[in-house]
Amino acid sequence: MKSSSLKNENQLLLQATIDPEAFAEIYDYYFTRVYNYVRSRVNRSSVADDLTSQIFERVLFKLDKFHPERGSFGTWLFTIAHNIITDYLRNQEQRHTVSLDAVRELACARNGPEEAYILQESQQDLQAALELLNNRERNLIGLKFWAGLNNRQIAQMTGLSESNVGVILYRAICRLQFALKKEAFENE
C-alpha cells in the first residue's frame, strides 16, 4: 500500500494553485484510492467514473481553500469525495451498497472458469453480508479498505473519535464474518 502522503506533496500543492498542470502528479498518486473508494459506494462503474471526475474537478477548483495546518491533503480530498458521494446517494433516494463488479471483472480475466466461479460466489456472499451493515458501517469499511485511509484520517473526516472508528469497524467486520460463516454453514 502507498504511504499516507506524497513525498513533495505540499510543494506540488502550492505549485498547482498557480499552474493546474502541476496537479497531475497529485492526481496520479491519489486517483486509484479515490476511484476504489467511490466504486465501493456506488454500483455502476460509469457512475464511479463520473463521480471521481467531479471529485478531482472540485479539488482542483478549491485547491486554494486547502490549509495544511488543518489536516492532511488526503483527509481533505477524501472529505470532498465523501461529500460528493453522499450528495449523489441522497439524490438517488435509494440505498447503495458495495459493488464488487470491477474486482470480479479483473479477477475473471486472470483466472480460469472454475476459479472465476468460486470467486464470483464468494463476492456474492460478501455483497449479501455487506448489505446487512448500515450506511455508516459500509462507508467506514469503504474508507478503510478501498480508500486505504487509517483510523485517524477517517476520524478527521467523519467527526468521530479515532477509537469510535476502530470500534465501529471492529463490530462491522465481526458482523461480516458471522454472516459469511452462517452463509457457508447453510450452503454445506
Side-chain angles (χ1 to χ4, degrees), residues 139-169:
N139 185 50
L140 293 181
I141 285 177
L143 289 168
K144 179 77 173 181
F145 298 105
W146 277 272
L149 299 179
N150 63 40
N151 290 4
R152 177 171 289 137
Q153 292 168 315
I154 295 169
Q156 289 172 344
M157 275 185 59
T158 60
L160 298 169
S161 70
E162 192 174 339
S163 61
N164 197 7
V165 168
V167 168
I168 293 167
L169 284 168

Side-chain angles (χ1 to χ4, degrees):
M1 181 179 295
K2 294 180 179 180
S3 64
S4 61
S5 67
L6 195 55
K7 190 175 188 177
N8 55 345
E9 188 170 84
N10 288 335
Q11 181 183 1
L12 287 170
L13 290 168
L14 283 173
Q15 194 176 354
T17 59
I18 299 164
D19 177 16
E21 289 184 25
F23 189 72
E25 190 172 342
I26 296 167
Y27 173 87
D28 290 342
Y29 180 79
Y30 283 102
F31 176 81
T32 301
R33 290 173 56 198
V34 170
Y35 181 81
N36 287 343
Y37 171 58
V38 174
R39 191 71 174 101
S40 77
R41 302 290 294 142
V42 299
N43 287 327
R44 294 186 7 232
S45 60
S46 60
V47 173
D49 293 343
D50 291 344
L51 292 176
T52 302
S53 294
Q54 287 177 30
I55 290 163
F56 281 105
E57 182 179 327
R58 185 168 302 163
V59 166
L60 189 55
F61 181 72
K62 294 185 176 249
L63 199 53
D64 61 332
K65 306 267 191 265
F66 170 69
H67 300 287
E69 64 275 2
R70 293 185 189 164
S72 74
F73 175 76
T75 300
W76 184 73
L77 169 68
F78 280 101
T79 299
I80 290 172
H82 171 76
N83 292 338
I84 287 176
I85 294 166
T86 299
D87 290 345
Y88 169 78
L89 294 177
R90 191 176 298 128
N91 289 336
Q92 293 302 304
E93 298 180 353
Q94 56 184 312
R95 291 178 63 156
H96 290 268
T97 57
V98 175
S99 173
L100 301 174
D101 290 339
V103 176
R104 183 180 304 123
E105 291 168 11
L106 179 62
C108 289
R110 292 184 182 161
N111 296 325
E114 184 177 327
E115 292 89 0
Y117 177 78
I118 292 169
L119 180 62
Q120 183 176 1
E121 266 193 358
S122 298
Q123 289 172 343
Q124 287 172 345
D125 292 345
L126 178 58
Q127 181 71 39
L130 286 166
E131 290 174 7
L132 298 174
L133 302 179
N134 64 41
N135 193 39
R136 178 173 73 169
E137 292 168 328
R138 284 191 304 271
N139 185 50
L140 293 181
I141 285 177
L143 289 168
K144 179 77 173 181
F145 298 105
W146 277 272
L149 299 179
N150 63 40
N151 290 4
R152 177 171 289 137
Q153 292 168 315
I154 295 169
Q156 289 172 344
M157 275 185 59
T158 60
L160 298 169
S161 70
E162 192 174 339
S163 61
N164 197 7
V165 168
V167 168
I168 293 167
L169 284 168
Y170 175 77
R171 289 179 180 165
I173 291 168
C174 287
R175 288 178 59 198
L176 286 173
Q177 288 175 331
F178 178 78
L180 291 170
K181 286 178 185 176
K182 181 179 175 188
E183 180 69 27
F185 180 74
E186 289 173 356
N187 289 337
E188 287 183 358

